Amino acid sequence: MKKIKLATVWLAGCSGCHMSFLDLDEWLLELAQKVDIVYSPIADIKDYPDGVDICLVEGAIANEENLALIKEIRQKTKFIISFGDCAVTANVPGMRNMLGPAETVLKRSYLELGDITPQLPQEPGIVPELLDRVSPVHEVVNVDLFLPGCPPNAARIRSVIEPLLKGESPVMEGRKMIKFG
Amino acid sequence: MTVKTLTINDQLITASAEQTILDAAKEAEIKIPTLCHLEGVSDVGACRLCLVEIEGSSKLQPACVTQVQEGMVIQTETEKLKEYRRMAVELLFAEGNHVCAVCVVNGNCQLQNVAIKVGMDHSRFPYKFPKREVDLSHRLFGMDHNRCILCTRCVRVCDEIEGAHVWDVANRGGQSFIVSGINQPWGEVDACTSCGKCVDACPTGAIFRQGSTASEMTCDRSTLEFLHRARTKKEWTR
Ligand code: SF4
Ligand code: SF4
Ligand code: SF4
Ligand code: FES
């Protein structure tokens, strides 16, 4: 049987969702029999490949790099899962939205609170520019499935991936499958 | 007592003429989701979660403020209602700042419970991220306007059960917010007896006990129901 191409990406999140993914422990070995990990922060692959079947997206869209990558992911992926609250609601990274545009936040952190040599980070092409508004993934590209939680625990991650591997769609209903925070 | 007969979800039931559809449904063990309704205080129809379809009326009606009538034919679980309820919950999440991950009632929240019940796994409406205040001036409690859904349960419980009327609603429409006293910091409102009834009434993490962590912060609504029963029916034991 042809292996399913699985990707996981880490955008504006704390990597807690990926930690939760690793909490799948020995089931990861079973998963490894059925999928090829084609892109992930836990694998050293530089470019997002073509023809990805499933992609777990951790984190919100907070900077230019996140924005460009999520658009590329959408083009090259059949099934995108918003993985965790940051992807689903913008969550903690989105809390800067209440303070106004990127400039306000940058000034506060790098100038007002900069003890020595206060300066704004500016290195075009290296340090991605912050967007004025942190957005949940589905406000930017179409998302196929939502797995909220901060982070979603390993059991719920498995309940979502297992049916997908069999070509079935998981039913996101009830306390077992829907949880915020 | 005048008795009315009506049909809810094809089930024939009887109710007294003064009852609301919500009460009548509850007695018949038909569950209708609610948020602004709180046992023991008056109903205001603020959240629109309890909407039902009544035959012969094209408008959806809130069950908590609609009285039963003879021969009414009511549906509580149609596809249309389910869709509207889900939308109502999505709007509540989108218009405030409900960052569950940093909320003191996470896992213990009636807004989350309702979200799960109506099958909301994300909001299709864009989040507004409004700028809102947090008031920590009270010695024991805190008010986080980021989590307030304007259900006015705190307003009604403080007025109708405690008799202190500390809370009220200021402004209109999207500008509405809950004020303490005459728009003073809560800690400066002399009328507040620090009874904690508003803490128990609040369905979200908007009004909370200071210093409590997510796993400790619970709201005991049965105390409010007990007090109400005790006063109206003179039943002073649980
Ligand atoms: S959802 Fe929670 S655990 Fe996942 S990246 Fe965001 S903050 Fe971290
Ligand atoms: S603590 Fe009691 S008196 Fe004070 S605002 Fe809350 S309900 Fe009213
Ligand atoms: S503070 Fe709580 S009880 Fe009062 S209106 Fe807001 S959500 Fe409702
Ligand atoms: S419970 Fe009826 S409108 Fe809120």
Side-chain angles (χ1 to χ4, degrees):
Chain A
M1 201 180 80
K2 213 173 117 262
K3 278 191 167 184
I4 286 168
K5 289 187 183 173
L6 178 72
T8 79
V9 289
W10 175 15
L11 305 178
C14 74
S15 116
C17 292
H18 272 84
M19 294 301 133
S20 206
F21 182 75
L22 295 178
D23 276 345
L24 284 163
D25 300 335
E26 66 267 22
W27 191 71
L28 286 171
L29 299 175
E30 223 174 285
L31 181 66
Q33 310 286 310
K34 296 177 185 144
V35 303
D36 276 328
I37 302 281
V38 293
Y39 187 86
S40 173
I42 51 172
D44 188 17
I45 302 160
K46 304 288 182 231
D47 297 310
Y48 195 87
D50 285 324
V52 176
D53 294 300
I54 302 170
C55 180
L56 289 164
V57 181
E58 171 193 314
I61 312 300
N63 65 27
E64 301 282 2
E65 187 185 37
N66 300 153
L67 186 64
L69 183 55
I70 197 65
K71 286 184 177 159
E72 186 182 359
I73 291 170
R74 182 66 279 181
Q75 272 174 10
K76 298 178 171 177
T77 316
K78 284 202 202 99
F79 200 85
I80 292 183
I81 301 174
S82 257
F83 180 30
D85 278 355
C86 292
V88 178
T89 72
N91 201 31
V92 177
M95 288 174 80
R96 79 163 155 89
N97 290 348
M98 302 148 198
L99 306 171
E103 202 192 326
T104 328
V105 187
L106 287 170
K107 274 194 180 147
R108 177 76 184 142
S109 349
Y110 289 94
L111 301 183
E112 290 171 33
L113 298 175
D115 298 331
I116 38 168
T117 60
Q119 59 173 326
L120 291 177
Q122 214 152 39
E123 208 53 66
I126 296 179
V127 182
E129 294 267 313
L130 288 192
L131 301 172
D132 277 334
R133 184 185 194 270
V134 185
S135 304
V137 174
H138 69 275
E139 284 186 17
V140 179
V141 296
N142 197 32
V143 165
D144 302 293
L145 191 100
F146 297 84
L147 174 54
C150 182
N153 68 21
R156 275 203 308 134
I157 299 173
R158 181 171 165 176
S159 312
V160 161
I161 297 179
E162 233 168 11
L164 286 175
L165 296 178
K166 289 187 242 156
E168 298 160 10
S169 35
V171 184
M172 301 307 287
E173 267 175 21
R175 205 163 281 277
K176 193 176 158 280
M177 297 307 276
I178 306 178
K179 186 190 177 294
F180 290 91
Chain B
M1 187 182 86
T2 337
V3 173
K4 307 274 180 190
T5 41
L6 57 151
T7 317
I8 306 183
N9 298 349
D10 305 323
Q11 184 181 333
L12 195 65
I13 65 160
T14 54
S16 77
E18 306 80 53
Q19 272 186 316
T20 61
I21 296 175
L22 185 66
D23 285 334
K26 196 173 283 167
E27 264 177 34
E29 284 173 22
I30 296 165
K31 288 205 177 80
I32 301 175
T34 59
L35 258 180
C36 66
H37 169 79
L38 180 67
E39 269 328 297
V41 296
S42 58
D43 279 301
V44 291
C47 73
R48 302 281 134 169
L49 227 55
C50 68
L51 288 179
V52 295
E53 279 185 47
I54 302 173
E55 213 175 83
S57 159
S58 57
K59 277 204 324 216
L60 305 175
Q61 305 288 351
C64 67
V65 288
T66 309
Q67 259 178 306
V68 294
Q69 275 169 35
E70 183 60 35
M72 257 182 176
V73 179
I74 300 160
Q75 293 292 338
T76 72
E77 284 299 328
T78 63
E79 285 311 309
K80 182 171 164 191
L81 287 171
K82 285 187 200 162
E83 179 57 22
Y84 277 104
R85 272 185 208 137
R86 183 177 158 161
M87 272 164 55
V89 178
E90 286 175 41
L91 286 166
L92 288 174
F93 272 90
E95 80 177 357
N97 296 313
H98 298 276
V99 189
C100 300
V102 295
C103 178
V104 73
V105 297
N106 187 13
N108 222 320
C109 167
Q110 292 194 314
L111 184 61
Q112 280 183 343
N113 293 351
V114 156
I116 294 163
K117 206 174 290 167
V118 303
M120 190 206 90
D121 55 12
H122 74 288
S123 166
R124 289 164 292 182
F125 300 101
Y127 291 89
K128 286 182 63 190
F129 300 108
K131 189 159 171 43
R132 298 214 188 141
E133 304 298 324
V134 178
D135 180 354
L136 293 173
S137 59
H138 195 285
R139 192 169 47 90
L140 301 173
F141 314 124
M143 166 61 156
D144 181 351
H145 291 273
N146 292 289
R147 322 250 178 238
C148 179
I149 56 167
L150 291 166
C151 67
T152 72
R153 279 162 56 153
C154 55
V155 178
R156 287 171 281 147
V157 89
C158 182
D159 179 34
E160 297 171 22
I161 299 192
E162 181 59 9
H165 200 129
V166 169
W167 302 109
D168 223 316
V169 185
N171 282 357
R172 314 187 112 240
Q175 304 302 315
S176 310
F177 65 100
I178 298 288
V179 275
S180 28
I182 39 171
N183 203 4
Q184 299 150 280
W186 185 2
E188 287 171 21
V189 183
D190 289 339
C192 178
T193 63
S194 302
C195 69
K197 292 188 179 67
C198 53
V199 186
D200 282 337
C202 184
T204 71
I207 302 185
F208 55 92
R209 280 183 204 89
Q210 281 195 34
S212 45
T213 59
S215 52
E216 294 164 332
M217 178 65 203
T218 53
C219 293
D220 187 7
R221 272 144 212 130
S222 63
T223 323
L224 303 175
E225 284 172 40
F226 166 73
L227 282 172
H228 168 73
R229 211 172 40 247
R231 287 182 188 180
T232 51
K233 305 218 170 97
K234 310 277 177 246
E235 287 172 18
W236 297 99
T237 49
R238 283 225 196 197

